[in-house]
Amino acid sequence: MNWSWKVVYDVLPQMLEGLVITVQATIIGALVAYALGLILAIMRMSNSRIISLSTYWISEFIRRTPLLVQLYFLFYVLPDLGIFLEPLEAGIIGLGLHFSTYTSEVFRAGIENVPTGQWEAAKSLNYRPYQTMRYVILPQAIPPMIPPLANYLITMFKETPLLSAITVVELFNAANIYSNSHYKYLEPMTLVGLFFLIVSVPSAYIAMWLERKYQRRYARNH
Amino acid sequence: MSRIIEFQNVSKAYGDLQVLKHLDMHVEAGEKLALIGPSGSGKTTILRILMTLETINSGHVMVEGDYLWHQKVNDELVPASEKHLRKMRENIGMVFQQFNLFPHLTAIANIEQPQILIKGVDKSDATNKARELLALVGLEEKENHYPHQLSGGQQQRVAIARALAMDPKIMLFDEVTSALDPELVEEVLNVLRLLAETSDTTMLTVTHEMNFARDFADRVLFFEKGQIVESGPPNEIFKNPKEERTRNFLRQIIGEIP
């Protein structure tokens, strides 16, 4: 097993292109996961049992089935129903949809962790429901949500190689294509691992820093 | 004097637990009322019903001559809409046991925000009023402090100022010193004593501080098991209670009673 810098030099440009796709899929996928997650959280907390329960079961279904199967469904099954998605589109929707069922729990916990007394104080001052949300609840609920949301971003980043299954040429797939055609696995796969480390280790530290920053911010009030 | 609050045959239960049983009571405008009695006797529930934080199961609650939990539509009495409740809430303010200040806002912003959002007051007028009220509760120096930088007693005084800023006709004080360290109780009670003397707002306070109830109240109501056992001026209730149950309660809580 000999390390060849020539292989590294050869594969690097394609891998950098793959990295751009990986970062795109992660960031846009995360935005989808956050937006959809907030909607799911609000629907889950609805007073209507039908809305709340059906949201619960849909979320359970998505969360308890593998992302890989969902990606196949979006990319290979939907065309049978006349819906054609580009590989990257299907990948972003799949990632976003799958992780929205996790982020929705973060939003729900964040909102439910605001003490009842805050809702009651707002009501006693005659705040309207949206004013209560906007001026009282969310300003308290959002800071503690930031660290777990950042952690899901890192998890999504690490899950992006699954998109290779639906022909997205992201970081891993770029390396894989090279490997398969040149029968060189050592350097490309080492580089894949390295790239993931370079991005996720600092991100993890940032997430931990956020956690410390927002932890017990209003401790004495709770 | 006119009746500002009236409970007519009001019952309230949480599941199997009956908290109020066919309660009749009334409060005159400007009256200062102290509600005393053992825990679970329904005192706090009365305040929470008035603040619309709890519904009632039967009976009627009148505030300023209008139904609180009902409204008339085509001469028929129906459950109150959110719009009706909002209108009724304008008359009422509440101070809670746990203060419930907004932790992300400074003391002064806690008092300004509701005025601006709900009453549509200009920012500068809201600030002026907030400063006046902070001075009234002795905290003009603390306007830029966040709640977690204030002691419990100070937080509770800010909460009182916040409720007053909305100019309610009725103020509800729900065990406002129960969550405080003993040495901080008096500073809050003194603010309430001052309010009782100087303001013609109707005030209802649920309290376990009997000395305070004596100073504060025009009338004391003794509750047990969701019903009024005895009602009268503090001198009568504390010095010469008629009912054996009142006597027992006072004996337990203050120790000496004739």
Side-chain angles (χ1 to χ4, degrees), chain A residues 131-153:
Chain A
Q131 290 172 321
T132 304
M133 237 348 162
R134 160 81 179 75
Y135 295 100
V136 179
I137 304 302
L138 287 181
Q140 298 177 62
I142 287 174
M145 288 175 189
I146 291 172
L149 290 181
N151 276 322
Y152 277 122
L153 184 72

Side-chain angles (χ1 to χ4, degrees), chain B residues 136-239:
Chain B
L136 179 76
V137 300
L139 291 171
E140 59 270 67
E141 316 268 276
K142 304 283 187 188
E143 62 173 57
N144 291 320
H145 286 56
Y146 283 89
H148 72 270
Q149 299 168 317
L150 299 172
S151 73
Q154 291 168 336
Q155 290 188 53
Q156 193 59 295
R157 281 142 70 197
V158 175
I160 292 168
R162 178 175 71 174
L164 289 174
M166 304 303 278
D167 297 317
K169 293 183 184 140
I170 301 166
M171 280 281 281
L172 310 170
F173 299 97
D174 183 20
E175 298 194 30
V176 293
T177 58
S178 296
L180 296 177
D181 294 334
E183 73 273 18
L184 302 176
V185 168
E186 277 307 310
E187 65 183 55
V188 173
L189 294 184
N190 284 335
V191 168
L192 296 192
R193 287 188 180 101
L194 176 73
L195 288 177
E197 278 168 31
T198 56
S199 124
D200 49 15
T201 307
T202 308
M203 298 184 186
L204 277 68
T205 178
V206 169
T207 183
H208 294 291
E209 304 281 339
M210 295 303 143
N211 286 325
F212 162 70
R214 207 183 318 226
D215 304 341
F216 173 89
D218 304 321
R219 190 152 61 96
V220 177
L221 299 182
F222 173 65
F223 278 84
E224 201 182 62
K225 295 177 182 148
Q227 284 171 323
I228 299 173
V229 174
E230 191 167 352
S231 139
N235 270 338
E236 230 169 73
I237 299 279
F238 291 115
K239 294 226 171 81

Side-chain angles (χ1 to χ4, degrees), chain A residues 117-129 131 135-137 139-140 217-222, chain B residues 48 51-53 86 89-90 92 94 96 100-104 113-114 117-118 147-148 150-151 155 162 166:
Chain A
Q118 293 292 311
W119 297 85
E120 293 187 344
K123 195 172 195 180
S124 77
L125 295 163
N126 225 354
Y127 280 43
R128 292 171 186 276
Q131 290 172 321
Y135 295 100
V136 179
I137 304 302
Q140 298 177 62
R217 193 169 162 190
Y218 311 121
R220 283 186 55 180
N221 256 280
H222 288 200
Chain B
R48 292 177 59 83
M51 195 64 259
T52 73
L53 299 173
R86 275 183 58 78
R89 262 184 232 126
E90 285 173 11
I92 308 171
M94 184 158 177
F96 299 86
N100 297 343
L101 286 180
F102 300 142
H104 54 294
Q113 192 186 70
L117 290 180
I118 311 306
H148 72 270
L150 299 172
S151 73
Q155 290 188 53
R162 178 175 71 174
M166 304 303 278

